[in-house]
Amino acid sequence: MAEAAIIARVLPSVLDVDTTAWNHLLAQQSHPTPFMRHEYLAALESSGSATPRTGWTPRFMTLWDGDTLVAACPLYLKSHSYGEYVFDWAWASAYEQHRVPYYPKAVIAVPFTPVPGSRLLARDAATRALLVQAVCQWCEQEDVSSVHVLFASDDDVLTSAQQDLMLRHTVQFHWKNERPTLPVAQGVVATDGETLRYQDFDQFLASLSQDKRKKIRQERRRVADAGVTFRWSRGADISAADWDFFYRCYERTYLEHGNPPYLTRDFFARMAADMPEAWLLFVGERDGRPIASSLIAIGAYSSSASAPKDAESGPESRSELVAYGRYWGALERVDCLHFEACYYQPLQWCIAHGAVRFEGGAQGEHKMARALLPVQATSAHWLAHPAFAEAVQRFLDREGAGVESYLGDLQARSPFKAA
């Protein structure tokens, strides 16, 4: 290590790290999310969702200054590339064609969770750089082909680039609770940097172009005309029966696509027990029977994102509330039910409760019609093999130009009314 006082330890489980120490370190980062909490990572492991059996072998890199945890990251050895959402199948194929092993590789990520946020937890920038160095050095020693920091925060990206990791960009779609600035004559211009929030869903619709506004109203009407109504519950108010029903929907969605679900029922039981405040459940009902559900994650942080706030506290103490679209499923087919459960109900809740952002996740240009706008997400990559690293860098240069052009094209297709 570059600093003799700092000791690196690779631990076989997040359960070997003190919960309070991990979460305290997370709280100091620029972009914490609920998915990097100790409880979340522990539930993935203890429930059997992210384990060697499923191709995720945990190896948590930690840096210590005496008895104080000063840096840490989740490090998984992977025997495949499923559940990552940053696709490197072509890289693995190239390695195989040249008879060079690509697996095991190492990912610094939250399994099955394409949500941008802090991955390299550290007390400062210098320690974060040491963390990256420690990971790469350990992977070289263990003959691990590569390191992939997925959906990284800006701080993580900066440190990774300074340590000569290669950057890769992709596109996600996020909704912001910000009313578009209109001419002064209409009397709604924000002053002194104030951000104007939507007062209700109708005001949000009024900000959209006529065709988008009409389409959303038509889709919502189809669900209502089919006799489907929605209710929501949060945290400890989500009953065991509702969790069971949600899992039936979640499991069915995966099975209909020919795959078993990534997450077990026990994982969600642990979430209900250990992180109830982080979850918001919408249940669609018809004739008194539940037929569909969508599960949303909630994170509440200070405006600087330097420390999580109590997600159950009042709006006056909460300067930044973020919602993350995660899972959905239905037992009956109803036209436009997916849009209502996964977009319109969550957006309506976000407006009513002052959430500043709703992250709709990876892929899906159709989200733009619901006012989820394109944003860039970034990952960082280190390959031990020099020739392959050079080839991948050339590929990323070409791909990056394409992503930049694609992002520009998307941004030109705003769903909002022209000012």
Side-chain angles (χ1 to χ4, degrees), residues 199-238:
Q199 295 178 355
D200 52 38
F201 196 83
D202 285 338
Q203 189 178 65
F204 160 62
L205 287 181
S207 71
L208 301 177
S209 61
Q210 182 179 6
D211 60 326
K212 299 297 189 293
R213 182 168 62 250
K214 180 180 179 180
K215 182 178 181 64
I216 290 175
R217 284 175 172 159
Q218 288 176 338
E219 290 173 345
R220 301 202 78 182
R221 189 178 304 117
R222 286 173 185 160
V223 176
D225 290 347
V228 180
T229 60
F230 275 83
R231 59 179 173 86
W232 64 266
S233 50
R234 184 179 176 189
D237 293 333
I238 304 176

Side-chain angles (χ1 to χ4, degrees), residues 30-332:
S30 63
H31 194 166
T33 69
F35 312 104
M36 278 289 290
R37 288 185 61 84
H38 188 279
E39 296 90 340
Y40 190 91
L41 298 171
L44 286 172
E45 189 175 328
S46 299
S47 68
S49 300
T51 63
R53 182 186 64 81
T54 61
W56 296 78
T57 300
R59 292 289 185 270
F60 283 75
M61 177 64 73
T62 61
L63 301 187
W64 301 81
D65 187 350
D67 294 331
T68 303
L69 181 69
V70 296
C73 65
L75 182 67
Y76 294 92
L77 297 180
K78 292 294 302 298
S79 58
H80 55 66
S81 293
Y82 292 103
E84 299 172 17
Y85 304 95
V86 176
F87 304 108
D88 61 350
W89 298 105
W91 303 2
S93 177
Y95 270 68
E96 182 179 3
Q97 291 172 14
H98 289 81
R99 301 181 184 276
V100 178
Y102 188 66
Y103 303 108
K105 65 175 185 177
V107 296
I108 298 175
V110 181
F112 325 119
T113 310
V115 176
S118 297
R119 298 288 181 264
L120 305 170
L121 311 185
R123 66 181 178 185
D124 53 38
T127 314
R128 186 174 295 108
L130 290 177
L131 182 63
V132 174
Q133 293 170 22
V135 169
C136 294
Q137 290 170 7
W138 182 81
C139 287
E140 276 194 303
Q141 295 167 4
E142 298 294 321
D143 290 327
V144 176
S145 74
S146 51
V147 177
H148 309 267
V149 188
L150 306 184
F151 300 101
S153 70
D154 290 345
D155 287 345
D156 296 342
V157 170
L158 177 61
T159 299
S160 297
Q162 291 172 342
Q163 297 300 313
D164 295 326
L165 272 69
M166 299 176 288
L167 301 184
R168 188 180 191 185
H169 305 296
T170 186
V171 176
Q172 292 197 342
F173 296 88
H174 298 175
W175 175 87
K176 290 186 178 181
N177 190 357
E178 296 180 4
R179 290 161 54 186
T181 301
L182 300 177
V184 176
Q186 294 179 267
V188 293
V189 174
T191 60
D192 298 327
E194 176 191 3
T195 299
L196 291 172
R197 310 294 184 203
Y198 295 109
Q199 295 178 355
D200 52 38
F201 196 83
D202 285 338
Q203 189 178 65
F204 160 62
L205 287 181
S207 71
L208 301 177
S209 61
Q210 182 179 6
D211 60 326
K212 299 297 189 293
R213 182 168 62 250
K214 180 180 179 180
K215 182 178 181 64
I216 290 175
R217 284 175 172 159
Q218 288 176 338
E219 290 173 345
R220 301 202 78 182
R221 189 178 304 117
R222 286 173 185 160
V223 176
D225 290 347
V228 180
T229 60
F230 275 83
R231 59 179 173 86
W232 64 266
S233 50
R234 184 179 176 189
D237 293 333
I238 304 176
S239 68
D242 280 344
W243 278 112
D244 286 338
F245 173 73
F246 156 75
Y247 195 78
R248 285 178 59 200
C249 295
Y250 165 76
E251 183 178 44
R252 177 164 175 167
T253 297
Y254 272 85
L255 294 177
E256 285 180 347
H257 288 85
N259 299 303
Y262 285 136
L263 302 173
T264 66
R265 176 65 182 90
D266 183 54
F267 168 80
F268 291 105
R270 293 173 184 274
M271 288 294 94
D274 301 334
M275 287 178 56
E277 74 286 349
W279 299 102
L280 171 67
L281 180 67
F282 295 92
V283 176
E285 298 177 326
R286 180 160 64 178
D287 298 327
R289 296 178 295 102
I291 66 167
S293 65
S294 67
L295 186 66
I296 307 299
I298 301 292
Y301 304 98
S302 65
S303 57
S304 63
S306 61
K309 290 185 177 293
D310 180 2
E312 293 293 341
S313 61
E316 67 281 357
S317 66
R318 196 164 53 211
S319 56
E320 183 169 309
L321 186 68
V322 181
Y324 309 88
R326 298 306 304 128
Y327 316 106
W328 110 286
L331 304 185
E332 297 181 14

